[in-house]
Amino acid sequence: MTQTESLLEKGLKTADLTEDELVFLLTCADGEAVFRAADAVRKRGVGDEIHLRGLIEFSNICQNNCLYCGIRRGNPNVERFCLSPEEIVESARNAKALGYGTVVMQSGESGVPAVDDLCGVLRRVKALDVAITLSIGEKSFEEYRAYKRAGADRYLLRIETTDKALYAALDPQMNWERRKQCLDDLKTLGYEVGSGCLVGLPNQSVESIARDILFLKRIGVDMAGIGPFIPHPDTPLKDCKATGFELSLRTMALTRILLPDINIPATTAMETLSPNGRVKALQSGANVVMLNVAQGGHRAAYALYPNKAGVNDVAAIARKNIERTIESIGRKVGAGYGSRKKA
Ligand code: SAH
């Protein structure tokens, strides 16, 4: 048995690998073996259902200045927008009509809409009988509590990287400990919590990526979003190369092996870097797809990175296409809310 095979066997049996073992599997020659193992764990842990989420990117207004992100405060070339409450609710209504059991609401980080206004939107969306996932950045405990009470069920907040020096370099004004505190607060409040990381950042070591995976396991995430870094031409990292596709797939696959029963999306960034990236991810551990359902004509302005897959897709057509894709790979569209079911 090769070392790759024996480590994967250990992973399959115990859902436990050390940092050194993860580094080995992140870099070994036989990536396909890692993907196959993750696919087997996925089948055992969450079955063949693929849960679809309707994504509403409702505002690109952001007070943060993350060096990698296209909607950072310091990018003057972004036309800033925030959908009206009516537009958000209408997008959610359309998602519900298309069959989505979950609506994901994501935005840059800012004070708009005001807390009370967003709570009003959440109550109206909740009345449609869908699960709600929020992804709107770092907020106070009280604000997270208000959104929970208004109907939010889940929250996505990627830690981005567990390398604190790298984190600080990528946004000198942000604070890693503060972000970690937010994840703790969300858990305390009873949210289903998602986190994850970017892969392929400049000066990011494979060892730190192994520690990112162990971090997700340690804090006990319910969802893990992992994607490649894609340089945006209007950011300080514009001259970097998008090298993270393969490594982000491996990171995702190993996260699946350590966390067999969580929800893991095939990320849009993967689909953006490779024409078949989404399917490859679904066959390497992922069990969730998030598709854009936003109305209001501002999707292209929500450019975290360039050439984002699916920005111009008509929601109804995209839904039909993904249903066909899911069938073609022998899987089925998930029913209901698609919450994490703990094994
Ligand atoms: N503002 C919110 C959510 C929006 S950003 C927050 O901070 O959580 C959503 C995710 O997009 C980020 O967590 C980051 O991991 C990813 N992202 C940002 N810029 C990117 C880029 N250039 N390439 C790939 N992913 C990127």
Side-chain angles (χ1 to χ4, degrees), residues 55 91 94-95 98 100 278 291-296 299 309-324:
L55 174 63
S91 304
N94 189 37
L98 290 173
Y100 289 96
R278 179 172 286 146
L291 295 178
N292 212 320
V293 296
Q295 303 186 347
R299 284 191 203 169
V311 265
N312 297 317
D313 288 1
V314 176
I317 297 173
R319 170 94 195 186
K320 279 274 161 282
N321 286 341
I322 194 73
E323 286 175 359
R324 213 171 302 131

Side-chain angles (χ1 to χ4, degrees), residues 216-261:
L216 297 174
K217 173 133 178 130
R218 189 166 64 247
I219 69 167
V221 291
D222 301 296
M223 308 173 277
I226 291 155
F229 159 60
I230 306 175
H232 188 293
D234 295 327
T235 64
L237 301 185
K238 63 177 186 295
D239 294 327
C240 294
K241 295 277 170 286
T243 55
F245 177 71
E246 160 83 18
L247 190 55
S248 69
L249 264 184
R250 279 230 212 165
T251 306
M252 184 206 73
L254 290 164
T255 302
R256 167 60 74 201
I257 292 172
L258 294 201
L259 290 155
D261 64 359

Side-chain angles (χ1 to χ4, degrees), residues 62 64 66 68-71 106-109 135-138 155-160 174 179 196-198 225 227-232 235 269 302 304-306:
C62 196
N64 292 334
C66 308
Y68 46 79
C69 185
I71 64 169
Q106 189 177 83
S107 72
E109 221 170 296
S135 177
I136 61 175
E138 298 177 19
Y155 206 102
L156 303 174
L157 186 74
R158 288 185 178 174
I159 196 69
E160 314 295 1
M174 286 181 77
R179 204 163 179 86
C197 58
L198 281 166
F229 159 60
I230 306 175
H232 188 293
T235 64
Y302 196 85
L304 309 174
Y305 47 82

